[in-house]
Amino acid sequence: MTSTPCNIAMIGLGVMGRNLALNLLEHGFSVAGYDLQADLTTQAGAEAAALGKAAFVACDSLAQVLANLQTPRVIALSVPAGPAVDTVISALLDAGLALQDTVIDTGNSLWTDTIARDKAYQGKLQFFSTAVSGGELGARHGPSLMASGSADAWRQVGPMWKAIAAQVDVAGMPLPPLSQGEACAAYLGPDGAGHYVKMVHNGIEYADMQLICEVYQFLRQQLKMTAPEIGQIFALWNQGVLNSYLMEISADILQQADPQTGRPLVEMILDKAGQKGTGLWTAVNSLEVGSPAPTIAQAVFARAMSGMKPQRLQAEKTLMLVTDDSLQMSQDDIIAQLHDALYCAKLCTYAQGFALMKATASEQSWALDYAEIARIWRAGCIIRAIFLQDISRAFEQQPDLDNLLLADHFRRTLTERQLNWRKAVANASLTGIAMPGLSSALHYFDGLRTGESSASLLQAQRDYFGAHSYARTDQPEASKFHLTWSQSPRHQVQV
Ligand code: 6PG
């Protein structure tokens, strides 16, 4: 054991774990590091030494990790989501972990697994979780951290997380690494709240990426613009209301030439999207809880469609586009329409995500602070965007806001930009360019603003073939009725 026990342990020194450890070291915390793969521990030790920080203790066993920590101990796990988390925790218990010690799962775990672990480890250890967003660079220089578990554990862990998280100034603008401002780290509630919020973050991430890709596709296919030209448009958009990390990297990607052929690199990348599953989890949660997130679901479907490359190539030859030449607008008009469509659809995506969080929070009896969630997404995470400042303000002004689209600021924006959004979706439809994200967001918007929907007919259909009953507009909703559709004369009975 070293003379000074460490503040925290990092178990799992792959890309994320190693960079979180370096970030902690750089902020003055001492770290005991361990990985099953000894070469990863050695690499972390070498990188820590290069930082000029002596406070990294490279351990070669879990027992050594425990012996090198202040008590009560804080141990962060950066291991793959799933059974590995429990395997490591059980090994830690065998190595002598105490009831007062806190174990933090920093992986992309499924939130319901986190709830189950929170229960399973009661009476054995303090189980805590912290979802990390921002990838490798975020972990190293300032991630967004979504924590949950016991409030006691947060008192011990919080100061470290607040120190290493991304920081923003009072206007919500990201600060350079090692600055001090408002930290993008927060305690969000008990058990699975942090992982849940991260899951919705990822769902929004999927949709946001898909929306940008749809605009790229339209500009490329319909306006025949080159990738670098589109990259320049995106770079320009990134200066305004669409300013976001995903816009910025998309602009950069599109202007990147392939080192081998000199062609735009994006054109050399096979159009089959991968996924690890967090978008799917969000879509499933949306279906289960009954809070529509169609743009997130469409983003998952779009990745699935991208995977059907052979079928797409076949269908391209056989399913002919039938259209007319009705798209007669200037290039500038079309670009302006796509800009507004992207902004409105992005807003709808966030509205879906926040409404979904509200629905699940109510089921789980979590008191999620939506203004705080928007605040910790302003920097460090993948969906960081300038308009998260507006979102946090909307929830500060109206913490009970049912839907983000109803906030004054966004209501006005949607009124101003709506026609362009409709035109962009109509153009895509007329020219046969798939826009599942941009159009599903528009349908969400229109669905939400439809006071009297077609579900009356749907209820009648259900009652017709299944005697499922219906409520009447002139009676209390709890009173149910059935029409004897198969009898003559038909009569209505209360059921
Ligand atoms: C982040 C990212 C990160 C990751 C996901 C998405 O917030 O840092 O969301 O968690 O990129 O794994 O990956 P897929 O696109 O492969 O599902």
Side-chain angles (χ1 to χ4, degrees), residues 282-297:
T282 317
V284 168
N285 170 238
S286 153
L287 289 165
E288 281 179 348
V289 84
S291 177
T295 312
I296 294 172

Side-chain angles (χ1 to χ4, degrees), residues 108 133-135 198 201-202 205-206 275-278 303 382:
N108 253 342
S133 178
K198 173 61 173 30
H201 164 285
N202 279 31
E205 171 186 304
Y206 271 52
Q275 53 183 316
K276 297 208 188 77
T278 45
R303 290 197 191 193
I382 304 296

Side-chain angles (χ1 to χ4, degrees), residues 106-149:
T106 71
N108 253 342
S109 293
L110 179 59
W111 63 284
T112 45
D113 287 351
T114 303
I115 292 180
R117 288 192 179 108
D118 188 77
K119 282 201 184 70
Y121 293 123
Q122 270 171 26
K124 293 182 179 154
L125 55 105
Q126 307 302 309
F127 183 72
F128 198 75
S129 66
T130 299
V132 182
S133 178
E136 178 178 357
L137 279 181
R140 178 66 186 83
H141 298 295
S144 171
L145 298 172
M146 292 149 260
S148 59

